[in-house]
Amino acid sequence: MKNHQTSIRTKIRPENLYVWTWILFVCAWISACVPPEIKDYSITHYSLQDPEVQKIINLQDARLTDSLYGFLQDNRAHIRLLAVRGLGNCKDSNAIERIAALLKDPIEAVRRQAAFSLGLIGHPKAESPLIQAFIPVDSAGP
């Protein structure tokens, strides 16, 4: 009976310890070579399954423009894009200054949507920010 118990136990031999140490070292080295995940906040495509996207669409449908203002400052481009689109579709002239600030957004798609939204609103106050935004890129100059 005593022999059976000792045969069940595995003995740690020095050569096995060396092999396992080597395997752990290689696994640690390989995992260190994997680059960290970098989130790209400039992506403008989105999924309708995203709860925040659904929230913005629902706010637009309910015409709760005051609630959309906070999304204009988001660090994700697709959220800013949807918020400015919602404000333009609601034709809220009180949002002109906030939308005009997005004419200087680093993401071109957001700038285009801001310009389009200002056009949708159609208020005379939107004319000056649009002209100022296009002067630097106009081939004729100021």
Side-chain angles (χ1 to χ4, degrees):
M1 188 89 164
K2 189 174 183 182
N3 288 339
H4 185 264
Q5 288 178 348
T6 58
S7 65
I8 293 176
R9 294 183 192 167
T10 55
K11 295 181 181 179
I12 299 177
R13 293 185 230 156
E15 59 271 6
N16 288 345
L17 186 60
Y18 175 75
V19 170
W20 285 108
T21 305
W22 182 251
I23 289 172
L24 286 173
F25 172 74
V26 169
C27 288
W29 181 69
I30 289 174
S31 66
C33 293
V34 176
E37 181 182 346
I38 299 172
K39 293 186 178 183
D40 186 4
Y41 292 113
S42 65
I43 297 172
T44 56
H45 63 273
Y46 53 89
S47 168
L48 294 176
Q49 304 301 323
D50 182 355
E52 279 195 285
V53 170
Q54 291 176 357
K55 183 176 182 179
I56 293 171
I57 292 170
N58 290 337
L59 290 171
Q60 174 189 338
D61 289 345
R63 299 208 169 290
L64 298 173
T65 56
D66 291 345
S67 299
L68 289 172
Y69 293 156
F71 292 105
L72 296 175
Q73 311 303 322
D74 199 281
N75 59 351
R76 294 165 294 174
H78 71 281
I79 298 294
R80 293 192 308 273
L81 182 104
L82 286 170
V84 75
R85 181 180 296 160
L87 289 169
N89 288 337
C90 291
K91 298 183 179 180
D92 181 12
S93 61
N94 295 324
I96 289 175
E97 291 177 17
R98 294 175 186 196
I99 295 173
L102 289 177
L103 292 171
K104 297 177 182 173
D105 195 271
I107 307 301
E108 182 181 355
V110 177
R111 291 192 307 265
R112 279 185 289 163
Q113 185 60 53
F116 187 77
S117 293
L118 287 172
L120 279 176
I121 292 171
H123 195 276
K125 284 184 1 185
E127 183 180 331
S128 177
L130 281 171
I131 291 171
Q132 293 303 314
F134 288 107
I135 285 177
V137 295
D138 189 10
S139 61

